[in-house]
Amino acid sequence: MCHWLLYIIIPSLLIAEPDDRHFYSTYGHAAIRMQCPELETDFVYDYVGEHLTNRFGAYLAGNLKMGLEVLPTEDYLRRDGGTVHEYALQLPDTMLLALCQVLDDEYRRGYVRAYNPVTGSCCQMVVRYLDKAAKMANESIAYTYTDEYELSIRELSHLHSQECPWTDVLYNTLGDIELSNRSLPKRQKVLYPAQLVPFLQAATIDARPLLSATDTLVQQVESAPSRRTLHPNVVALLFLLLTLFSFSAAVYTPSAKRSILHTLSSFSAAVYTLFFTLLGLLERLLWLVSDLPFTGFNLLAIAFTPWMAIFWRYRRYWAIPYAVVLIGLLIYTLLSPCMVMASYYQIIVLAEILFLVFNSSWTFQGFPILRRSHP
């Protein structure tokens, strides 16, 4: 592609609006477009990962890779299938030549980077390519950071996930405690297209804005009606209500051992134990086994344990002490200056505390004072 440098090249930034057609575009997507009218060439440099379909286990293990794809703009728009906006990149000639070289070199490397949609998102890579090109061209980009960049990555994810809350659940389940660190370099916090555009528009090079203030609509697609799903907070509240129901059913129902409500209560206890055990096992596998870059220690590893089902019969010894630990954890997450645990997980932890108290040896016999006496 280096022979293009003899001709006029028009660089631009393509921003796809958020949609649920692809996993990578849940928050939107960013790519770099290079046009050369004289050669009638028009390509998009798109930083993407290997396809996730049917390989989610490999994704959790950190075995999927990311890399730069180059494809004709028409093919890119057809594959993306959503609404795409274009913003002109206003680069000095020397930096434009350097950017072409950077993109070509990255493309030749292939799929070599670890799959990391948090700290290695498409937006992060666009900024890195521009920084590297500026360094090669002996130019300097002056960035401006708003108050938003004082937040942690976990808080930013939550802020930009209002239209896709279940993706936020995925990142909060997988992401380690480092994502709650507000002191991370601000450049690492440019994660989403909704951030990238104003971030680059506020950046300057040679006293000129790096990105144009106006956009061109390249492709417009009428968005499909969004699929109605329960918000994670609603699911967590239902979880809490089920906990209260199972307790009241176990305590107040007459002929407890033969009642349907008592059977449902016992069934819900089994489901809860399985849920907390599996989630605890997942957190420890991610922490100890996965090679994903952002799956280190997560507070959920304290909140949920795989030993619950194994040692359930001995709960009289550990249920109440563990509930006290969880109360301390819940208070810490509520008082923490930055979001270290999402609200839906706080509600589930509260449900777990009640579940442990209700099912400890002291209380599972029915709180005799509360249980009705029957002849």
Side-chain angles (χ1 to χ4, degrees):
M1 302 262 181
C2 292
H3 62 277
W4 287 17
L5 309 187
L6 302 174
Y7 302 94
I8 296 174
I9 301 172
I10 304 173
S12 59
L13 178 70
L14 295 182
I15 297 292
E17 292 184 0
D19 63 56
D20 56 4
R21 291 181 176 87
H22 309 285
F23 177 79
Y24 63 79
S25 63
T26 306
Y27 294 94
H29 192 63
I32 295 176
R33 181 182 186 182
M34 292 289 195
Q35 300 177 74
C36 182
E38 292 182 67
L39 293 178
E40 297 182 347
T41 55
D42 186 359
F43 289 95
V44 172
Y45 289 79
D46 187 23
Y47 185 75
V48 294
E50 293 178 301
H51 210 286
L52 269 178
T53 304
N54 299 325
R55 298 197 65 197
F56 196 68
Y59 164 72
L60 292 180
N63 294 331
L64 296 186
K65 301 296 181 182
M66 302 184 79
L68 196 64
E69 264 186 11
V70 181
L71 63 166
T73 299
E74 287 186 4
D75 293 347
Y76 170 81
L77 295 175
R78 190 181 305 114
R79 185 189 67 182
D80 182 85
T83 298
V84 179
H85 300 263
E86 182 176 29
Y87 298 82
L89 283 166
Q90 301 170 150
L91 309 178
D93 290 343
T94 53
M95 184 174 168
L96 175 57
L97 302 184
L99 180 61
C100 290
Q101 186 64 52
V102 167
L103 294 175
D104 279 354
D105 291 344
E106 185 72 16
Y107 170 66
R108 291 192 190 99
R109 292 182 65 192
Y111 290 88
V112 294
R113 296 183 183 273
Y115 199 111
N116 190 343
V118 176
T119 56
S121 66
C122 57
C123 297
Q124 282 276 302
M125 298 311 298
V126 166
V127 175
R128 289 184 196 178
Y129 297 150
L130 292 173
D131 283 341
K132 192 171 181 179
K135 185 177 181 180
M136 288 176 61
N138 294 318
E139 299 282 357
S140 178
I141 303 175
Y143 293 111
T144 302
Y145 297 96
T146 62
D147 292 342
E148 182 181 62
Y149 294 94
E150 300 297 332
L151 301 175
S152 67
I153 290 179
R154 196 181 298 277
E155 290 171 303
L156 287 169
S157 171
H158 186 69
L159 181 67
H160 290 277
S161 65
Q162 301 308 310
E163 299 300 322
C164 44
W166 286 100
T167 302
D168 183 58
V169 172
L170 176 65
Y171 289 151
N172 273 286
T173 303
L174 303 183
D176 59 24
I177 193 66
E178 189 66 9
L179 298 186
S180 298
N181 185 358
R182 287 182 173 178
S183 63
L184 289 176
K186 294 180 179 179
R187 192 78 58 82
Q188 290 185 16
K189 299 177 184 179
V190 186
L191 302 174
Y192 310 110
Q195 292 175 277
L196 182 64
V197 171
F199 178 73
L200 293 182
Q201 288 174 336
T204 58
I205 185 167
D206 292 343
R208 295 177 55 200
L210 185 61
L211 193 69
S212 66
T214 57
D215 69 301
T216 302
L217 190 61
V218 179
Q219 174 173 276
Q220 184 170 19
V221 177
E222 189 171 340
S223 57
S226 58
R227 291 175 291 187
R228 287 186 168 275
T229 57
L230 289 177
H231 192 278
N233 284 342
V234 175
V235 174
L237 285 172
L238 291 174
F239 206 79
L240 178 60
L241 289 174
L242 183 59
T243 305
L244 297 172
F245 165 77
S246 77
F247 167 66
S248 61
V251 171
Y252 289 109
T253 53
S255 305
K257 292 184 179 179
R258 296 190 299 275
S259 80
I260 295 177
L261 288 178
H262 185 271
T263 302
L264 289 176
S265 175
S266 300
F267 177 75
S268 66
V271 170
Y272 272 43
T273 306
L274 181 63
F275 172 78
F276 294 137
T277 298
L278 291 179
L279 190 52
L281 183 62
L282 172 64
E283 289 301 327
R284 281 157 180 79
L285 286 174
L286 291 172
W287 176 18
L288 301 173
V289 178
S290 175
D291 290 330
L292 271 175
F294 58 93
T295 54
F297 175 72
N298 189 326
L299 288 179
L300 296 180
I302 299 176
F304 308 110
T305 171
W307 314 119
M308 185 176 287
I310 299 173
F311 298 107
W312 183 245
R313 65 179 298 182
Y314 303 109
R315 61 190 180 278
R316 61 179 300 177
Y317 301 108
W318 58 261
I320 295 299
Y322 186 42
V324 172
V325 171
L326 293 182
I327 290 172
L329 177 66
L330 187 58
I331 292 173
Y332 167 71
T333 63
L334 291 171
L335 298 181
S336 176
C338 61
M339 189 179 78
V340 293
M341 185 180 289
S343 56
Y344 39 82
Y345 272 129
Q346 290 173 336
I347 296 171
I348 291 177
V349 169
L350 175 59
E352 183 181 13
I353 293 169
L354 296 176
F355 173 74
L356 288 171
V357 172
F358 295 164
N359 288 279
S360 69
S361 60
W362 301 341
T363 59
F364 191 59
Q365 298 305 320
F367 277 118
I369 254 181
L370 296 177
R371 182 182 288 279
R372 297 177 185 173
S373 48
H374 303 287

